[in-house]
Amino acid sequence: MYPKTLSDLIESFKLLPGIGEKTAERLAFAVLSFSEADCEKFSKNIENSKKNIHPCKKCGTLTDEEICSICKDKTRTKDTLIVVEDSKDVFLFEKIGNFKGYYHVLGGLISPLDGINPEDISVDNLIERIKNGKYTEIIVALKPSVEGETTVQYIKKMLEGYDIKVSKIASGVPIGAE
Ligand code: ZN
């Protein structure tokens, strides 16, 4: 039987995705061998992420500032916007590095069957943003699913009559692979 403090630490690691009992034990023992400074830094980093990271007021990407560094970057092309479901997609695009426009994170997809309507996600601010911006092309990068398609159709409908091209690409890990 592990001492309670240690089994508590093991339980904490098991909260992480893909971490089972064995790996959690290994990680907990690794922590035990940390220096005091590293240990403090480790727990501070966890605490700070929770405290300081929130969606960007403009695009919804996770940031520790009010407006994220991408939105603040005036050198980016102002005519293209990529619409994604999750912040993780933004970081993925940035890692690939060949897109130089701006982003918008929806934070979900429209799914009336699950009770998720346009007002539940960040789609109406997206439309506002597009209407007030200089965008000529909106690239929608959402999961190929009924919900994704419903969301694209909604965006297209809301932008009817505007001279803005709405195109679609597949999203998620495949982008990185292609
Ligand atoms: Zn932003």
Short mmCIF file of all heavy atoms in Angstrom, two decimals, residues 12-42:
data_model
loop_
_atom_site.label_atom_id
_atom_site.label_comp_id
_atom_site.label_asym_id
_atom_site.label_seq_id
_atom_site.Cartn_x
_atom_site.Cartn_y
_atom_site.Cartn_z
N SER A 12 -4.04 11.89 -9.01
CA SER A 12 -4.02 13.14 -9.79
C SER A 12 -3.53 12.88 -11.21
O SER A 12 -4.08 13.40 -12.18
CB SER A 12 -3.12 14.18 -9.14
OG SER A 12 -3.71 14.62 -7.95
N PHE A 13 -2.48 12.09 -11.34
CA PHE A 13 -1.97 11.80 -12.68
C PHE A 13 -2.97 11.02 -13.51
O PHE A 13 -3.03 11.16 -14.73
CB PHE A 13 -0.63 11.06 -12.59
CG PHE A 13 0.53 11.97 -12.38
CD1 PHE A 13 1.30 11.92 -11.23
CD2 PHE A 13 0.86 12.92 -13.35
CE1 PHE A 13 2.36 12.79 -11.04
CE2 PHE A 13 1.93 13.81 -13.16
CZ PHE A 13 2.68 13.73 -12.00
N LYS A 14 -3.78 10.20 -12.82
CA LYS A 14 -4.77 9.41 -13.56
C LYS A 14 -5.88 10.28 -14.17
O LYS A 14 -6.64 9.83 -15.02
CB LYS A 14 -5.38 8.33 -12.65
CG LYS A 14 -4.46 7.10 -12.57
CD LYS A 14 -4.77 6.21 -11.39
CE LYS A 14 -6.07 5.46 -11.56
NZ LYS A 14 -6.33 4.63 -10.34
N LEU A 15 -5.93 11.54 -13.74
CA LEU A 15 -6.90 12.46 -14.35
C LEU A 15 -6.51 12.81 -15.78
O LEU A 15 -7.33 13.25 -16.58
CB LEU A 15 -6.99 13.76 -13.54
CG LEU A 15 -7.53 13.67 -12.11
CD1 LEU A 15 -7.39 15.01 -11.42
CD2 LEU A 15 -8.99 13.22 -12.12
N LEU A 16 -5.23 12.64 -16.09
CA LEU A 16 -4.75 13.01 -17.42
C LEU A 16 -5.20 11.99 -18.46
O LEU A 16 -5.28 10.80 -18.16
CB LEU A 16 -3.22 13.11 -17.41
CG LEU A 16 -2.64 14.22 -16.52
CD1 LEU A 16 -1.15 14.03 -16.35
CD2 LEU A 16 -2.96 15.58 -17.09
N PRO A 17 -5.47 12.47 -19.69
CA PRO A 17 -5.93 11.54 -20.72
C PRO A 17 -4.87 10.51 -21.08
O PRO A 17 -3.69 10.85 -21.18
CB PRO A 17 -6.24 12.45 -21.91
CG PRO A 17 -5.50 13.71 -21.64
CD PRO A 17 -5.39 13.85 -20.16
N GLY A 18 -5.28 9.28 -21.21
CA GLY A 18 -4.38 8.22 -21.64
C GLY A 18 -3.44 7.72 -20.56
O GLY A 18 -2.52 6.95 -20.84
N ILE A 19 -3.62 8.19 -19.33
CA ILE A 19 -2.73 7.74 -18.25
C ILE A 19 -3.45 6.72 -17.37
O ILE A 19 -4.44 7.03 -16.71
CB ILE A 19 -2.27 8.93 -17.37
CG1 ILE A 19 -1.61 10.03 -18.21
CG2 ILE A 19 -1.33 8.45 -16.27
CD1 ILE A 19 -0.29 9.67 -18.83
N GLY A 20 -2.95 5.51 -17.37
CA GLY A 20 -3.51 4.46 -16.53
C GLY A 20 -2.72 4.32 -15.24
O GLY A 20 -1.80 5.10 -14.99
N GLU A 21 -3.08 3.31 -14.45
CA GLU A 21 -2.47 3.08 -13.14
C GLU A 21 -0.93 3.03 -13.22
O GLU A 21 -0.24 3.76 -12.52
CB GLU A 21 -3.02 1.75 -12.58
CG GLU A 21 -2.61 1.44 -11.16
CD GLU A 21 -3.38 2.27 -10.13
OE1 GLU A 21 -4.58 2.54 -10.36
OE2 GLU A 21 -2.77 2.67 -9.12
N LYS A 22 -0.42 2.18 -14.12
CA LYS A 22 1.04 1.95 -14.20
C LYS A 22 1.80 3.23 -14.52
O LYS A 22 2.79 3.55 -13.86
CB LYS A 22 1.33 0.91 -15.29
CG LYS A 22 1.07 -0.50 -14.86
CD LYS A 22 2.40 -1.28 -14.73
CE LYS A 22 2.30 -2.38 -13.69
NZ LYS A 22 1.15 -3.30 -13.90
N THR A 23 1.33 3.94 -15.54
CA THR A 23 2.00 5.18 -15.94
C THR A 23 1.89 6.22 -14.83
O THR A 23 2.87 6.93 -14.55
CB THR A 23 1.38 5.74 -17.24
OG1 THR A 23 1.30 4.67 -18.17
CG2 THR A 23 2.22 6.85 -17.83
N ALA A 24 0.72 6.28 -14.21
CA ALA A 24 0.51 7.25 -13.12
C ALA A 24 1.51 6.99 -11.99
O ALA A 24 2.10 7.91 -11.43
CB ALA A 24 -0.91 7.17 -12.60
N GLU A 25 1.73 5.71 -11.70
CA GLU A 25 2.70 5.37 -10.66
C GLU A 25 4.10 5.83 -11.06
O GLU A 25 4.82 6.42 -10.28
CB GLU A 25 2.72 3.85 -10.44
CG GLU A 25 1.53 3.34 -9.66
CD GLU A 25 1.46 1.81 -9.60
OE1 GLU A 25 2.27 1.14 -10.29
OE2 GLU A 25 0.60 1.31 -8.89
N ARG A 26 4.45 5.56 -12.33
CA ARG A 26 5.78 5.94 -12.79
C ARG A 26 5.98 7.46 -12.70
O ARG A 26 7.02 7.94 -12.28
CB ARG A 26 5.97 5.46 -14.23
CG ARG A 26 7.41 5.13 -14.53
CD ARG A 26 7.58 4.45 -15.87
NE ARG A 26 7.17 5.28 -16.98
CZ ARG A 26 6.34 4.88 -17.93
NH1 ARG A 26 5.84 3.67 -17.92
NH2 ARG A 26 6.01 5.68 -18.90
N LEU A 27 4.94 8.21 -13.13
CA LEU A 27 5.03 9.67 -13.10
C LEU A 27 5.14 10.18 -11.66
O LEU A 27 5.92 11.10 -11.38
CB LEU A 27 3.81 10.29 -13.79
CG LEU A 27 3.70 10.02 -15.30
CD1 LEU A 27 2.37 10.53 -15.84
CD2 LEU A 27 4.86 10.65 -16.05
N ALA A 28 4.37 9.57 -10.77
CA ALA A 28 4.40 10.00 -9.37
C ALA A 28 5.80 9.79 -8.78
O ALA A 28 6.33 10.66 -8.10
CB ALA A 28 3.35 9.25 -8.57
N PHE A 29 6.40 8.64 -9.11
CA PHE A 29 7.76 8.40 -8.62
C PHE A 29 8.76 9.36 -9.23
O PHE A 29 9.71 9.79 -8.57
CB PHE A 29 8.17 6.94 -8.86
CG PHE A 29 7.64 6.02 -7.80
CD1 PHE A 29 6.57 5.18 -8.04
CD2 PHE A 29 8.21 6.04 -6.52
CE1 PHE A 29 6.06 4.35 -7.05
CE2 PHE A 29 7.71 5.21 -5.51
CZ PHE A 29 6.64 4.37 -5.77
N ALA A 30 8.52 9.75 -10.46
CA ALA A 30 9.39 10.72 -11.10
C ALA A 30 9.32 12.05 -10.36
O ALA A 30 10.34 12.71 -10.13
CB ALA A 30 9.00 10.90 -12.57
N VAL A 31 8.11 12.43 -9.96
CA VAL A 31 7.93 13.68 -9.22
C VAL A 31 8.69 13.63 -7.90
O VAL A 31 9.32 14.60 -7.49
CB VAL A 31 6.43 13.96 -8.98
CG1 VAL A 31 6.24 15.06 -7.94
CG2 VAL A 31 5.74 14.35 -10.28
N LEU A 32 8.67 12.46 -7.27
CA LEU A 32 9.37 12.32 -5.98
C LEU A 32 10.87 12.59 -6.12
O LEU A 32 11.52 13.00 -5.17
CB LEU A 32 9.15 10.92 -5.39
CG LEU A 32 7.75 10.60 -4.91
CD1 LEU A 32 7.72 9.20 -4.31
CD2 LEU A 32 7.26 11.63 -3.90
N SER A 33 11.38 12.36 -7.31
CA SER A 33 12.82 12.58 -7.48
C SER A 33 13.14 14.00 -7.97
O SER A 33 14.30 14.34 -8.17
CB SER A 33 13.38 11.54 -8.45
OG SER A 33 12.83 11.76 -9.73
N PHE A 34 12.12 14.81 -8.13
CA PHE A 34 12.34 16.22 -8.51
C PHE A 34 13.08 16.96 -7.41
O PHE A 34 12.93 16.63 -6.23
CB PHE A 34 11.00 16.96 -8.69
CG PHE A 34 10.30 16.72 -10.01
CD1 PHE A 34 10.81 15.86 -10.95
CD2 PHE A 34 9.11 17.39 -10.27
CE1 PHE A 34 10.14 15.66 -12.14
CE2 PHE A 34 8.43 17.19 -11.47
CZ PHE A 34 8.96 16.32 -12.40
N SER A 35 13.80 18.01 -7.81
CA SER A 35 14.35 18.91 -6.80
C SER A 35 13.19 19.73 -6.24
O SER A 35 12.12 19.80 -6.85
CB SER A 35 15.37 19.86 -7.43
OG SER A 35 14.69 20.77 -8.28
N GLU A 36 13.41 20.34 -5.10
CA GLU A 36 12.34 21.14 -4.48
C GLU A 36 11.90 22.26 -5.43
O GLU A 36 10.71 22.53 -5.57
CB GLU A 36 12.85 21.72 -3.17
CG GLU A 36 11.71 22.15 -2.28
CD GLU A 36 11.98 21.79 -0.82
OE1 GLU A 36 12.54 20.70 -0.55
OE2 GLU A 36 11.66 22.60 0.04
N ALA A 37 12.87 22.87 -6.09
CA ALA A 37 12.57 23.99 -7.00
C ALA A 37 11.71 23.51 -8.17
O ALA A 37 10.74 24.17 -8.55
CB ALA A 37 13.87 24.61 -7.50
N ASP A 38 12.07 22.38 -8.74
CA ASP A 38 11.30 21.85 -9.87
C ASP A 38 9.88 21.49 -9.45
O ASP A 38 8.92 21.68 -10.19
CB ASP A 38 11.99 20.61 -10.46
CG ASP A 38 13.13 21.00 -11.39
OD1 ASP A 38 13.18 22.19 -11.78
OD2 ASP A 38 13.96 20.13 -11.71
N CYS A 39 9.80 20.96 -8.26
CA CYS A 39 8.50 20.57 -7.72
C CYS A 39 7.60 21.78 -7.58
O CYS A 39 6.43 21.76 -7.97
CB CYS A 39 8.72 19.93 -6.35
SG CYS A 39 7.72 18.50 -6.10
N GLU A 40 8.17 22.84 -7.05
CA GLU A 40 7.41 24.08 -6.86
C GLU A 40 6.98 24.64 -8.20
O GLU A 40 5.84 25.07 -8.38
CB GLU A 40 8.30 25.08 -6.12
CG GLU A 40 7.53 26.06 -5.27
CD GLU A 40 8.47 26.80 -4.33
OE1 GLU A 40 9.05 26.13 -3.44
OE2 GLU A 40 8.65 28.00 -4.52
N LYS A 41 7.90 24.61 -9.15
CA LYS A 41 7.62 25.14 -10.48
C LYS A 41 6.49 24.33 -11.13
O LYS A 41 5.58 24.88 -11.74
CB LYS A 41 8.89 25.02 -11.33
CG LYS A 41 9.02 26.09 -12.39
CD LYS A 41 10.47 26.25 -12.79
CE LYS A 41 10.69 26.03 -14.26
NZ LYS A 41 12.10 25.78 -14.57
N PHE A 42 6.57 23.03 -10.97
CA PHE A 42 5.58 22.12 -11.56
C PHE A 42 4.17 22.43 -11.05
O PHE A 42 3.24 22.61 -11.82
CB PHE A 42 5.97 20.68 -11.19
CG PHE A 42 5.25 19.61 -11.95
CD1 PHE A 42 5.72 19.20 -13.19
CD2 PHE A 42 4.13 19.00 -11.43
CE1 PHE A 42 5.07 18.20 -13.90
CE2 PHE A 42 3.46 18.00 -12.13
CZ PHE A 42 3.93 17.60 -13.37
#
